[in-house]
Amino acid sequence: MKKKTIKIPIYFGDLTIIHSDGWEEVNKKYEKQSDWSSPLDNGYEACVFPAHYKSGYTQYVAAFKRIPKGSTIAHECVHLVNHVFQDRGLILDMYNDETQAYLTGWFFDQIEKFFNNIENGK
């Protein structure tokens, strides 16, 4: 399993990106901190979830079983943004969506860079 954790600017919390062949390690590590009601299923290619800690700290986890296509990254970024907005009490505004667009782009760039580094052996 490879992973990288990055501080999320402005909104606080961390983004943790994971590349794993299966979900066993991910399930074991996050089962107590996440909001899911059941473990990740091997049918999932990718998954996003928040891990909330008693201290108030939030880690947003984006986990992938294979190197994703851009469309998969974009799909998961929508979920990430929605989790951050929900946790911070922000309302998505369809008429003033720049904050949503910037955060989506930032998440996409971080995930794309992570996988580019894996593909390039870094």
Side-chain angles (χ1 to χ4, degrees), residues 66-103:
R66 57 186 62 89
I67 294 179
K69 297 186 296 184
S71 58
T72 302
I73 296 173
H75 175 101
E76 298 306 327
C77 286
V78 170
H79 295 309
L80 283 166
V81 169
N82 288 339
H83 282 301
V84 169
F85 272 49
Q86 182 179 25
D87 288 347
R88 302 299 178 259
L90 302 171
I91 298 170
L92 297 172
D93 183 346
M94 294 185 334
Y95 300 103
N96 183 13
D97 58 1
E98 283 301 307
T99 55
Q100 177 187 6
Y102 281 119
L103 188 55

Side-chain angles (χ1 to χ4, degrees), residues 23-82:
W23 298 129
E24 188 174 309
E25 282 183 87
V26 177
N27 284 332
K28 186 176 180 180
K29 179 164 180 56
Y30 292 102
E31 66 185 347
K32 291 185 170 68
Q33 285 82 28
S34 65
D35 294 337
W36 64 37
S37 57
S38 62
L40 295 176
D41 181 277
N42 278 328
Y44 296 144
E45 179 179 333
C47 185
V48 164
F49 57 89
H52 298 286
Y53 294 84
K54 291 178 184 175
S55 65
Y57 163 78
T58 304
Q59 182 179 29
Y60 298 92
V61 179
F64 301 84
K65 282 194 347 186
R66 57 186 62 89
I67 294 179
K69 297 186 296 184
S71 58
T72 302
I73 296 173
H75 175 101
E76 298 306 327
C77 286
V78 170
H79 295 309
L80 283 166
V81 169
N82 288 339

Side-chain angles (χ1 to χ4, degrees), residues 5-16:
T5 299
I6 307 148
K7 294 241 177 264
I8 300 171
I10 301 171
Y11 298 95
F12 305 104
D14 288 343
L15 167 64
T16 296

